[in-house]
Amino acid sequence: MDRMNELAQRDFAHIWHPCCQMKDYETLPSIVIDHGEGAYLYDVNGNSYLDIISSWWCNLLGHCNPKINAAVKAQLDKLEHVIFVNFSHETAIDLADKLVNILPKGLNKLNFADNGSAAVEIALKLAFQYQHQTGHSEKTRFMCLSEGYHGETIGALSVGSMDLFAQIYKPMMMNNIHVEAPDCYRCPFNKNRECCECECFKYAEEAFANYAKETVAIIVEPIVQGCAGMRIYPPLYLKKLRQLCNEYGVLLIADEIATGFGRTGKMFACDHADITPDIMCISKALTGGYMPMSIVCTTDKIYDAFYADYNEGKQFMHSHTYAGNPLGCSTALAVLKILEEDKILEKCQPKAEYFNNLLNEAFGNHKNIGEIRHINLINALELVTDKQTKTGFDGKLRIGYEIYKKALPHGLLLRPLGNVIYFNPPLNIEEKDLEKAVRLAKIAMDEVLG
Ligand SMILES: *Cc1c(COP(=O)(O)O)cnc(C)c1O
């Protein structure tokens, strides 16, 4: 038996993998990865996989990036972890300084946690407590957008709208207000995202008119609704939302967990609209995909509502064991240094154009591709059975999963979202690898779609 088979069998014996049907592993066992380098992963049998999805969107600057590796190693020999209440360390302090300089203006206070969902929970609790402590205890509910995704713990799931993840748990969830999100590919107003007035914003206006009084905050994924299939919407929507939140005293929470750190071409997606949310969650690319870490960023205004004598009971009583973990902070610092020194964002622009052109050449006339949408290096191909009616494939066919399976033996790691095949590579990927990704994706898709 080869090494892969042996390890995959041991894997199957005890490991319950996330977000999948384990029975599928009978026919597609775990691919056991030995090492990574740049945009590539190598399995224990020596096969390579082009990681065009950045390992769940977090790997920002390639696997085993030598500069990040060096930073972790240096930190490891100094301090691996310390309790973060009453204690601190220089790496976290340096990181906070650097972050505040690049975050949307006014986000000055940083609350550390260890994963994206935890950051969303913190954002919800912070917002709730802020309203309560500033005389608005009548505000108890949250608003969110349809098809939104904010993680899978109970609170985060409650402000998500993807039934795939949430359906069964509905009886456990908060009673939130779900606002119809922009859906530019199937725009109900027959506009297109390059030149519309965000007519669909009327759904938000209606919801605010009806429910703002009882609403603590609205949470959104700015510009790109990732899990929904990389649904991209115009910055104008965010500008209008900022305005509406101000008018009604509803806090704006931006979940930049997937969009932060240059993914959309600007440092943060909120920068496209030139807005500052009241609370912003960052994770994933924050550590270049190295360490589980997240940060909830907020304004002085919110911070000040918690700042009082202990006996007043206004403090935010929330903690995670690994908050401010030094290894996480060291990777984040290294990421910021590389982004700046290597001018990663500037270099991305021509690469993103090149990539989008390649995809348009390869798939522009494909009978089953309804839309190719992109922002920076994120590209998504929406699969349809009929381009006129924009009808998607029946979910039971699992067309994306079939394409994923076909791509693997060709050495390409895709992870489609339902009917959407997407690409979200590390920002420093080379053009030859982008070309290869398009070529291999085409082969896999031709094998499935004919
Ligand atoms: C991944 C993601 C989360 C959840 O982060 P986890 O670390 O997986 O808990 C939340 N929001 C968005 C937009 C994400 O992409």
Side-chain angles (χ1 to χ4, degrees):
M1 194 179 351
D2 71 11
R3 186 147 167 72
M4 176 78 89
N5 275 336
E6 183 209 323
L7 285 167
Q9 275 189 20
R10 286 172 53 206
D11 175 278
F12 193 53
H14 299 297
I15 298 179
W16 193 340
H17 286 273
C19 218
C20 61
Q21 173 50 260
M22 285 307 302
K23 192 167 193 297
D24 285 344
Y25 286 58
E26 288 177 8
T27 49
L28 183 61
S30 282
I31 295 154
V32 184
I33 295 301
D34 179 71
H35 63 281
E37 191 185 343
Y40 285 87
L41 295 164
Y42 299 87
D43 72 21
V44 290
N45 283 351
N47 301 307
S48 70
Y49 304 88
L50 177 51
D51 183 5
I52 207 68
I53 56 156
S54 298
S55 286
W56 258 345
W57 321 349
C58 58
N59 184 279
L60 191 71
L61 299 164
H63 291 282
C64 285
N65 184 300
K67 288 179 186 167
I68 306 178
N69 284 14
V72 192
K73 285 176 190 166
Q75 181 63 51
L76 188 57
D77 282 331
K78 224 172 142 190
L79 177 68
E80 84 303 335
H81 189 61
V82 63
I83 180 172
F84 211 48
V85 53
N86 269 127
F87 287 80
S88 195
H89 55 90
E90 195 169 345
T91 313
I93 295 165
D94 284 346
L95 175 62
D97 273 346
K98 288 249 161 30
L99 275 174
V100 164
N101 276 326
I102 60 164
L103 284 166
K105 205 161 164 277
L107 295 173
N108 284 323
K109 302 292 182 189
L110 312 180
N111 195 308
F112 287 69
D114 52 19
N115 67 75
S117 305
V120 169
E121 302 289 340
I122 289 175
L124 300 177
K125 286 174 70 181
L126 263 185
F128 182 91
Q129 191 171 340
Y130 168 82
Q131 296 286 14
H132 193 85
Q133 286 173 188
T134 55
H136 292 287
S137 47
E138 77 283 3
K139 289 182 179 281
T140 57
R141 300 179 71 190
F142 290 89
M143 276 190 208
C144 53
L145 294 182
S146 60
E147 300 301 308
Y149 176 86
H150 301 289
E152 288 162 47
T153 51
I154 298 295
L157 208 52
S158 300
V159 286
S161 303
M162 300 199 60
D163 279 350
L164 173 66
F165 303 105
Q167 185 63 36
I168 180 96
Y169 311 107
K170 290 224 161 130
M172 300 169 71
M173 287 189 193
M174 306 186 290
N175 175 21
N176 299 318
I177 301 139
H178 296 250
V179 178
E180 196 62 34
D183 182 0
C184 301
Y185 174 48
R186 296 183 176 84
C187 176
F189 302 91
N190 281 316
K191 306 278 174 182
N192 76 60
R193 70 169 78 74
E194 275 72 43
C195 57
C196 74
E197 294 297 317
C198 289
E199 283 75 5
C200 59
F201 193 71
K202 90 182 184 80
Y203 300 125
E205 287 169 335
E206 285 164 11
F208 273 65
N210 289 327
Y211 301 110
K213 261 203 190 69
E214 59 203 87
T215 300
V216 169
I218 180 165
I219 181 167
V220 301
E221 295 161 89
I223 305 292
V224 184
Q225 287 192 298
C227 271
M230 302 296 171
R231 281 186 9 176
I232 300 165
Y233 63 87
L236 179 63
Y237 191 92
L238 286 181
K239 274 196 216 280
K240 290 187 178 205
L241 190 58
R242 177 68 278 182
Q243 185 64 33
L244 197 64
C245 284
N246 291 350
E247 280 166 28
Y248 282 96
V250 168
L251 297 177
L252 177 57
I253 303 173
D255 177 351
E256 291 248 13
I257 290 166
T259 48
F261 303 95
R263 283 292 184 200
T264 67
K266 303 229 183 220
M267 192 56 84
F268 297 99
C270 284
D271 298 338
H272 290 279
D274 223 351
I275 59 147
T276 300
D278 298 288
I279 300 175
M280 188 164 118
C281 303
I282 52 179
S283 185
K284 289 203 165 97
L286 166 65
T287 66
Y290 268 60
M291 292 283 178
M293 186 161 94
S294 61
I295 303 181
V296 181
C297 318
T298 192
T299 59
D300 289 334
K301 187 178 98 176
I302 297 208
Y303 178 83
D304 289 345
F306 292 74
Y307 198 85
D309 286 332
Y310 186 83
N311 289 340
E312 291 182 51
K314 291 188 169 174
Q315 46 277 12
F316 186 53
M317 296 302 282
H318 184 112
S319 61
H320 291 284
T321 307
Y322 288 97
N325 175 263
L327 297 171
C329 291
S330 69
T331 57
L333 257 182
V335 166
L336 293 183
K337 194 154 179 259
I338 296 170
L339 286 178
E340 189 188 331
E341 287 178 359
D342 295 354
K343 300 193 164 41
I344 298 287
L345 266 59
E346 289 95 311
K347 287 183 194 160
C348 246
Q349 233 174 359
K351 227 163 24 182
E353 236 167 84
Y354 169 79
F355 189 33
N356 183 248
N357 286 337
L358 286 182
L359 284 163
N360 275 303
E361 278 166 31
F363 296 108
N365 295 319
H366 195 288
K367 66 183 186 334
N368 293 120
I369 292 176
E371 184 180 53
I372 302 176
R373 48 182 175 263
H374 86 120
I375 184 162
N376 200 33
L377 283 169
I378 299 176
N379 278 268
L381 315 180
E382 177 132 1
L383 300 175
V384 291
T385 53
D386 180 334
K387 292 216 262 202
Q388 285 308 316
T389 59
K390 302 184 179 178
T391 310
F393 284 85
D394 182 347
K396 291 208 173 69
L397 277 173
R398 299 172 81 195
I399 200 81
Y401 184 65
E402 295 306 318
I403 293 168
Y404 160 74
K405 283 196 291 190
K406 290 285 188 205
L408 283 172
H410 293 295
L412 180 67
L413 170 49
L414 294 168
R415 194 171 194 275
L417 297 153
N419 282 329
V420 176
I421 308 285
Y422 70 87
F423 304 81
N424 190 5
L427 301 185
N428 59 355
I429 191 171
E430 292 178 30
E431 291 196 347
K432 68 173 170 38
D433 290 329
L434 293 171
E435 187 276 325
K436 186 169 167 183
V438 176
R439 190 160 39 82
L440 298 181
K442 180 97 177 29
I443 294 171
M445 284 168 68
D446 285 347
E447 284 175 12
V448 175
L449 300 165

